[in-house]
Amino acid sequence: MIGRVATLALAALLAGAVSGPALAEKGSAEKGLAQTVYAVSQEGGTVTPVAPSGAAIPVGKGPAQVAAGPDGRLYLAHSDTHTVSVVDGPSGAVLARLPFAGQPFGVAVAPDGRSLFVGDWSGARVVRLSTATGAVEGSVGVGRDPAGLVLDTRGLLYVADRESRQVSVVDTATMTRIATVPVGEGPFALALNPAQDRLYVACVRSGDLHAIDTATLTIVGRAALGGMPYGVAVSGDGARILVTNQQAGTLVVLDAALTPVATIPVGRYPEGVAVSGDRAYVANWFSDSVSVIDLPTLTETARLPVGEGPRGLAVLMSKEIP
Amino acid sequence: MRLVAPTVFLALFALATPVTPVLAHGPTPQKVDQSVTIAAKPEAVWKVVGTFAAIDTWHPDVARSEAVDGNAAGGRRKVTLKNGGTLDEGLDEMNDKTFTYSYRLSDADLKALPVSSYSATLTVTPDGDGSKVEWLGRFYRGDTGNEPPEELSDAAGKTAMNAYFGNGLKGLKAKVEGGKAK
C-alpha cells in the first residue's frame, strides 16, 4: 500500500513537471496569488472559509450553489427566494442581492467579472446578468433542470441538463446554444481540466463519469463508478479526476485515463469537491463538515465543521496582503 | 484517454428509447435521520432487516413487499404501503459484513410519501450488549418548484419521511425484541 501511494505521488509529480497549467499555477503562486476555499451551507444559510479557516458568514436563506469571481467576490444562488447574492469574500460583507425571475441554481462568472450566468432550474434556461446592476443581459434555452455550469476561456458555457441527459454548450458572446452532448442519466456536476481540453460530467443516476473532448464536443471516455457521483474536480496538474460518491460516502480518485486509483472515505452524502494547491476539499452534506484531502498521499487529513447542509465549494484567488 | 466509442454508441442508442416518468430532483435536499436501540446482537437484528425486500415483515406501515432481482446491488423491492401508495426502490449497496445497505427511490408516488425522490442508508452497529439501527436519507419535497403547496412542501416531506422511518424502526425493535410479527 505504501509502495503504491509512493508511486502515485511520483506519477503526480512527473505529470506536474510536464504539464503547462501546473507550471502556470505554480508561477501565479510565486507572484503572490493566495487562494481561499469557501463552503456554502444551504440549510445553515452560511458561507464558511475553510482554508484558511474562518468564521461562518451569514448570507441569507438557502444558498445552493456558488461561483467565485475574479475580484474577491462570491456569487450565490438562493434557489427558493429568487435571488442571487453577491458577497465580498475577504470581508464577508453581503454587497448586493440581485433579484432573479426564476429558480436560480448553477452559477458561473465571466473571467472579467462583468457578467454572471445563472441557471434557472425550473425555467430550463440560462440567464446572463450584469454583476454591476443585476440587469438581464440575455437568456438562452437549455435542457430541463440545468444543474452545474462551467465557463471556459473561449467563452463557451457548459450546462449539465439534469433531466435531459445532456450537456448544453452555449456561446456566451451571442447567448446561443451551439451544441448538445448526450451523456448518462442525471448529469449534475461539471469540471474542466486545467488545459480545458476535457470536460468531465458526473451523472448521478446512471452512476458514471463522462469525458467530453471540448474541441470536438464528443464523448471520448466513460467510467462506470456506481452509486451517485455528485461532484467532480480536477487536480492542478490535470492528472487526477476527483469524484464524490454521495451514496457511498467516498471520494473516488481516477487518473486521466479514467482508471480508478483510490477510494477515500469521507463524511456522509459528500457533494461538492474543489481543488486548491495539493489539497482537495469535499462538502459532506449530511455530516455538516468539509473533508480535507491531501492529494500527494490521497488521504483525508482533517474534517472541518461548517454550517448545516454544505453543498457547494468555491476557490477565490486574491492578491496576498503584504 | 481511453477510447470507448463502441460503448458510447451503444449507450446513446439506449438513451434514444423514450423513458417514462422522470424523478424531479429539486434544488433543496432535506435530511431524514432516525435511530433506535434494540436489545439484541447486530447479527440477530440483521437477520430480520438484512433482506431488503422483507420490509413487510417488520415495518408497520407496509402492507406487502415484492423482491425483484435478489438481495444485492441492482436488486429491487416493490413496496405497497397500507395507505395504498407504492415505492419502487433499488439497492445501490448491500454489505452483509458491516450490516448496512443503501438504496434509492425509482419512481415517485406522492400517494405513498409526499416526496419526489430520495436515497437512504440503513446501518446496524453494536451498542453495548445490543444494537443501534440508524436509518438516514436525503430527499426532495413533492413539488420541487418555487411555490409548493403545503402538502408537498419541505415541511410536509420531513414530517412524512421522519414518520415512515421512525415507525419502521419501532416496528423493527418490536419484531426483534418480541420475536413476534409486527
Side-chain angles (χ1 to χ4, degrees):
Chain A
M1 187 62 208
I2 288 165
R4 188 182 165 154
V5 168
T7 313
L8 291 175
L10 182 61
L13 278 174
L14 287 173
V18 294
S19 149
L23 287 177
E25 191 182 300
K26 205 174 276 177
S28 331
E30 277 156 16
K31 273 182 256 162
L33 275 181
Q35 296 192 348
T36 309
V37 183
Y38 294 87
V40 177
S41 297
Q42 188 165 13
E43 275 302 302
T46 55
V47 170
T48 310
V50 291
S53 62
I57 304 163
V59 292
K61 189 175 182 270
Q65 295 284 310
V66 59
D71 43 12
R73 291 178 178 189
L74 297 168
Y75 297 90
L76 302 147
H78 301 256
S79 301
D80 281 352
T81 57
H82 309 274
T83 51
V84 174
S85 59
V86 186
V87 174
D88 180 60
S91 72
V94 178
L95 302 174
R97 291 195 190 279
L98 311 177
F100 186 82
Q103 200 169 20
F105 191 72
V107 200
V109 192
D112 63 8
R114 287 185 180 175
S115 296
L116 182 67
F117 301 91
V118 183
D120 181 358
W121 184 274
S122 43
R125 62 190 182 132
V126 172
V127 180
R128 176 175 167 157
L129 304 176
S130 156
T131 54
T133 65
V136 173
E137 296 176 335
S139 169
V140 58
V142 294
R144 290 182 54 211
D145 293 5
L149 260 60
V150 161
L151 187 63
D152 74 10
T153 50
R154 297 179 294 173
L156 293 185
L157 181 73
Y158 304 90
V159 184
D161 296 335
R162 179 158 177 161
E163 292 306 326
S164 298
R165 303 174 174 201
Q166 68 191 16
V167 171
S168 285
V169 186
V170 170
D171 177 358
T172 56
T174 56
M175 285 304 276
T176 51
R177 181 161 66 171
I178 59 164
T180 55
V181 185
V183 292
E185 201 183 337
F188 186 81
L190 303 173
L192 284 164
N193 66 348
Q196 300 202 342
D197 59 349
R198 290 290 180 273
L199 177 77
Y200 298 101
V201 186
C203 297
V204 174
R205 242 174 273 129
S206 50
D208 50 8
L209 182 83
H210 294 251
I212 293 174
D213 181 327
T214 56
T216 59
L217 297 178
T218 54
I219 289 172
V220 290
R222 175 182 171 268
L225 304 171
M228 300 177 96
Y230 234 102
V232 58
V234 185
S235 62
D237 58 8
R240 294 282 177 265
I241 295 102
L242 314 168
V243 186
T244 53
N245 190 335
Q246 192 186 73
Q247 187 70 317
T250 56
L251 180 71
V252 179
V253 183
L254 310 167
D255 65 17
L258 303 190
T259 306
V261 293
T263 299
I264 305 165
V266 291
R268 281 169 167 172
Y269 281 85
E271 193 164 323
V273 53
V275 170
S276 173
D278 60 1
R279 293 208 168 87
Y281 299 84
V282 177
N284 299 313
W285 174 77
F286 197 98
S287 304
D288 304 330
S289 64
V290 168
S291 289
V292 183
I293 309 295
D294 180 60
L295 289 174
T297 58
L298 296 175
T299 52
E300 183 187 36
T301 55
R303 208 173 279 189
L304 312 168
V306 296
E308 190 183 349
R311 302 185 71 193
L313 292 158
V315 182
L316 258 188
M317 312 277 277
S318 57
K319 284 205 182 86
E320 219 148 45
I321 299 155
Chain B
M1 188 65 57
R2 219 165 10 143
L3 283 175
V4 289
T7 322
V8 169
F9 281 125
L10 277 177
L12 294 185
F13 211 72
L15 290 180
T17 321
V19 175
T20 38
V22 251
L23 284 172
H25 282 234
T28 50
Q30 301 291 321
K31 290 176 187 174
V32 50
D33 190 2
Q34 294 282 326
S35 59
V36 72
T37 53
I38 297 180
K41 295 284 182 205
E43 290 75 12
V45 177
W46 188 250
K47 223 171 186 176
V48 175
V49 82
T51 303
F52 186 56
I55 188 171
D56 55 345
T57 65
W58 54 270
H59 200 306
D61 299 345
V62 171
R64 60 183 182 277
S65 170
E66 183 193 331
V68 187
D69 293 337
N71 200 44
R76 322 187 63 77
R77 67 184 177 198
K78 292 201 168 181
V79 177
T80 305
L81 300 185
K82 286 179 179 165
N83 70 13
T86 55
L87 301 172
D88 183 351
E89 299 169 324
L91 272 176
D92 280 299
E93 193 194 341
M94 168 60 75
N95 196 324
D96 273 322
K97 306 246 176 338
T98 57
F99 300 150
T100 182
Y101 62 78
S102 298
Y103 65 98
R104 65 178 108 163
L105 180 69
S106 300
D107 296 303
D109 177 4
L110 298 177
K111 191 179 167 191
L113 293 166
V115 296
S116 56
S117 69
Y118 59 76
S119 64
T121 297
L122 188 145
T123 307
V124 184
T125 51
D127 184 71
D129 288 338
S131 306
K132 183 185 175 190
V133 183
E134 187 169 24
W135 196 1
L136 59 88
R138 168 178 168 119
F139 69 89
Y140 293 88
R141 64 183 178 239
D143 180 342
T144 57
N146 257 144
E147 278 86 28
E150 188 47 47
E151 69 274 16
L152 298 176
S153 63
D154 285 338
K158 259 186 181 167
T159 303
M161 290 297 280
N162 276 306
Y164 182 66
F165 281 26
N167 292 346
L169 292 179
K170 270 184 221 150
L172 177 64
K173 181 181 171 75
K175 163 95 176 165
V176 174
E177 290 182 352
K180 54 179 188 277
K182 61 184 180 180

